[in-house]
Amino acid sequence: MTIKLEALKFSILVTLAFLFVSCSNDKKTEIKTEESDKANIILFVADDHGTDALGCYGNPIIKTPNLDKLASEGVRFTNAYCTSASCAASRSVILSGKYGHATGSYGHVHDYHHFSTFDNVKTLSNRLTEAGYLTARIGKYHVAPEKVYLFDEVLEADPRNTVEMADKCKDVINSEKPFFLYFCTDDPHRGHPFKPEPWDTPNTFGNKKEGYTGVNQVTYNPENVLVPEFLPDNKQSREEIAQYYQSISRIDQGFGKLMGHLKEAGKLENTIVFYISDNGMAFPGAKTTVYEPGIKLPCIIKDPTKSKKGTTNTARISWVDLTPTILDMVEVDYEEKDFHGKSFENIIDKENSEDWNQIYASHTFHEITMYYPMRVVIDENFKLIWNIAYRLDYPFASDLWAASTWQATYRNEEEYFGNRTVQDYMFRPEFELFDLSKDPNESNNLAKNEDFSDVLESLKSKMKAFQLKTKDPWLIMWDHDSSLQGTGVNL
């Protein structure tokens, strides 16, 4: 009797154990299935690439077939803006959804610049890790501290060789978990040495005579390149633009390689792909300025769930909108108050949206020696720039000052640099007001034109409201209102 009872107990325990394991496996299968249904995200960020140098944005000279294909399969935004035309400051906004003036990301993070994001900021990568994503980054990082911008995996490759970078991402792409890949090139940033000898040697923009493994060299004749109006059309500009183009064509090949790996993994149809840049081309008049060539950037998005392909979207979006947009795309919950930006997920496949006609920009530093805070509001056709430190000379990034494009003007004591006088470029007024519909090159400052006084005051009011809402310390410069200033005591 005792033996039978023990046998019965054993049988019940075995059955319960089987049911527990079976239920656990079912639960695991359910979780795995749920995770596998989530879309993957690739956020591809170039370094200093403007809208001036992409075939799909109207340049007939440059060869960017893979990025042009992405535009034909997705949507191309024509009014997309970074918030600060400086690498580190811009990248902090991309990954946090907040303006740098509110997170402590005032400028460059590396070396003696030492700007860093506050510890309590919760970024995109951390949020996606919590949501079950494999998060990985490769290439340029340029944000800090790491615990705020944490990724599960850090991949190593030459950030100038996007083909090599793409190959290093194969394991991430083939992951069983949904993945977020933050793919950041060093191209087409200016390359070392920044100060050439002789002075009129064009910068290489990372190009090498021997080329890069796996990359086909695509070179350009300086006579054929397109010189934007804000640059002088001379030998030096053309030679440097040719090098810039070559660097971008290398990006394009790596992007094509990455899409090839995505196709081989069978994940083209459940991966959302973004192509953006951190700021405009690394030439005086673009990078480090808040003029259109510095902050108006390429943004191409391919979302396989959207029905329309090859469309153009004129909505004004900003990099501060990227994090909430991506979280909406992959259905990860968040509080709207967590971000300064707002999601544009529901307008991606629309060509126009009346509610998306206003953006703000906030630049304070590039290098630590380049203190020149500027705030921007664009509302409909009008753009207001507030040069808060207008009494200072406009500071140059060290690599832009040494650029042969600038030095040709400086050494020859030319009156004009592109469509601006050197005097106007070096010494800015407190306010610059432009009608972008009639003056896209921002040549005619309307700030002191009485006919536009109402527009000026309206935009000033909007700018103040923006600064108050986003807790911008530089709000104090309007009327010395110290309401946003801290106590100096850690509580």
Side-chain angles (χ1 to χ4, degrees):
M1 181 72 178
T2 303
I3 294 174
K4 286 183 178 180
L5 184 59
E6 291 299 322
L8 180 61
K9 287 180 178 178
F10 178 76
S11 175
I12 291 171
L13 287 171
V14 169
T15 302
L16 288 172
F18 174 78
L19 289 171
F20 176 77
V21 170
S22 177
C23 288
S24 297
N25 285 339
D26 286 345
K27 195 170 184 180
K28 285 179 182 177
T29 302
E30 183 181 320
I31 292 171
K32 186 175 179 182
T33 302
E34 188 178 310
E35 283 185 349
S36 65
D37 287 342
K38 291 182 178 179
N40 307 302
I41 297 285
I42 294 177
L43 179 55
F44 193 116
V45 185
D47 195 353
D48 303 353
H49 186 188
T51 57
D52 58 282
L54 273 163
C56 57
Y57 277 88
N59 187 323
I61 306 300
I62 196 165
K63 297 178 177 64
T64 53
N66 294 298
L67 291 169
D68 296 346
K69 181 181 179 184
L70 182 71
S72 71
E73 296 172 343
V75 58
R76 177 176 60 89
F77 281 86
T78 56
N79 286 302
Y81 290 81
C82 68
T83 66
S84 178
S86 182
C87 302
S90 181
R91 289 163 193 269
S92 73
V93 175
I94 290 168
L95 291 174
S96 73
K98 290 187 172 184
Y99 291 94
H101 62 241
T103 65
S105 306
Y106 304 123
H108 277 348
V109 68
H110 63 290
D111 300 329
Y112 52 80
H113 310 292
H114 201 56
F115 291 112
S116 185
T117 301
F118 298 141
D119 289 351
N120 62 350
V121 175
K122 192 173 182 181
T123 62
L124 177 61
S125 55
N126 295 33
R127 289 172 183 271
L128 290 177
T129 294
E130 289 180 2
Y133 273 74
L134 169 65
T135 60
R137 66 176 173 87
I138 189 169
K140 187 164 184 172
Y141 189 42
H142 227 35
V143 287
E146 188 171 9
K147 68 178 181 180
V148 170
Y149 300 97
L150 194 62
F151 288 80
D152 300 324
E153 294 188 15
V154 179
L155 310 176
E156 299 292 338
D158 184 345
R160 291 287 188 179
N161 186 340
T162 47
V163 170
E164 179 186 319
M165 290 173 71
D167 287 340
K168 290 294 179 71
C169 295
K170 289 178 72 173
D171 287 347
V172 171
I173 289 173
N174 284 286
S175 167
E176 290 187 2
K177 295 176 69 175
F179 66 83
F180 168 53
L181 176 60
Y182 183 54
F183 191 108
C184 300
T185 72
D186 274 8
D187 292 324
H189 193 287
R190 285 177 176 266
H192 291 280
F194 290 148
K195 190 173 182 179
E197 291 294 341
W199 70 267
D200 60 349
T201 303
N203 189 272
T204 64
F205 288 82
N207 304 317
K208 298 190 298 187
K209 288 182 180 179
E210 66 274 21
Y212 290 86
T213 303
V215 179
N216 296 320
Q217 291 258 43
V218 180
T219 60
Y220 294 88
N221 185 335
E223 294 181 5
N224 297 332
V225 303
L226 304 183
V227 181
E229 287 199 30
F230 68 90
L231 293 177
D233 189 349
N234 57 26
K235 175 178 178 290
Q236 288 76 24
S237 290
R238 288 183 169 274
E239 287 177 345
E240 291 210 304
I241 292 171
Q243 294 290 324
Y244 166 66
Y245 281 12
Q246 182 177 335
S247 185
I248 291 165
S249 285
R250 186 165 57 253
I251 292 175
D252 186 80
Q253 288 185 51
F255 181 83
K257 189 77 169 179
L258 189 65
M259 293 302 100
H261 292 324
L262 202 61
K263 183 177 181 181
E264 289 169 11
K267 296 188 177 181
L268 276 175
E269 295 308 313
N270 69 329
T271 302
I272 300 167
V273 181
F274 288 73
Y275 181 85
I276 63 171
S277 173
D278 57 358
N279 49 248
M281 66 191 299
F283 286 77
K287 183 178 179 177
T288 77
T289 79
V290 289
Y291 294 129
E292 295 291 278
I295 61 174
K296 188 175 181 180
L297 303 174
C299 179
I300 309 169
I301 303 173
K302 180 186 176 184
D303 181 349
T305 68
K306 304 298 183 183
S307 57
K308 292 183 179 179
K309 311 295 180 186
T311 59
T312 298
N313 192 316
T314 61
R316 281 201 168 93
I317 61 169
S318 166
W319 289 178
V320 78
D321 302 319
L322 287 171
T323 284
T325 298
I326 290 171
L327 292 176
D328 271 355
M329 285 175 156
V330 298
E331 299 180 342
V332 172
D333 292 335
Y334 62 89
E335 298 288 336
E336 288 187 11
K337 64 179 177 58
D338 292 345
F339 306 115
H340 295 148
K342 60 180 181 177
S343 171
F344 56 84
E345 190 275 335
N346 64 342
I347 63 147
I348 285 177
D349 57 356
K350 295 181 180 178
E351 294 187 12
N352 300 289
S353 180
E354 293 180 359
D355 297 331
W356 290 81
N357 50 27
Q358 189 177 94
I359 67 103
Y360 295 89
S362 170
H363 179 97
T364 305
F365 286 93
H366 181 62
E367 299 160 13
I368 187 65
T369 50
M370 293 178 63
Y371 176 73
Y372 201 82
M374 298 172 284
R375 300 296 183 262
V376 177
V377 56
I378 302 177
D379 187 32
E380 300 290 351
N381 295 325
F382 287 99
K383 176 178 180 178
L384 177 65
I385 300 173
W386 180 29
N387 296 307
I388 300 173
Y390 68 98
R391 294 178 182 86
L392 298 176
D393 297 4
Y394 187 79
F396 266 82
S398 52
D399 57 336
L400 299 187
W401 175 266
S404 60
T405 295
W406 172 256
Q407 286 294 316
T409 296
Y410 177 68
R411 288 169 181 262
N412 293 321
E413 299 182 348
E414 301 281 354
E415 182 182 358
Y416 276 85
F417 182 79
N419 60 354
R420 283 188 178 83
T421 67
V422 172
Q423 179 76 8
D424 286 344
Y425 188 79
M426 295 291 293
F427 303 97
R428 311 283 171 88
E430 183 176 11
F431 294 104
E432 296 177 85
L433 175 65
F434 303 108
D435 181 348
L436 296 177
S437 64
K438 299 176 181 177
D439 181 25
N441 295 313
E442 300 163 290
S443 300
N444 182 22
N445 183 8
L446 304 171
K448 293 186 177 181
N449 187 324
E450 286 298 323
D451 292 340
F452 295 91
S453 58
D454 289 345
V455 174
L456 178 63
E457 292 308 312
S458 173
L459 293 182
K460 283 182 181 179
S461 295
K462 287 180 168 63
M463 186 176 289
K464 291 176 186 177
F466 153 73
Q467 290 183 277
L468 185 62
K469 181 180 179 182
T470 59
K471 297 183 178 180
D472 181 1
W474 276 263
L475 178 69
I476 196 175
M477 301 305 292
W478 288 103
D479 53 15
H480 297 281
D481 176 2
S482 61
S483 59
L484 290 181
Q485 303 305 301
T487 61
V489 178
N490 291 325
L491 300 177

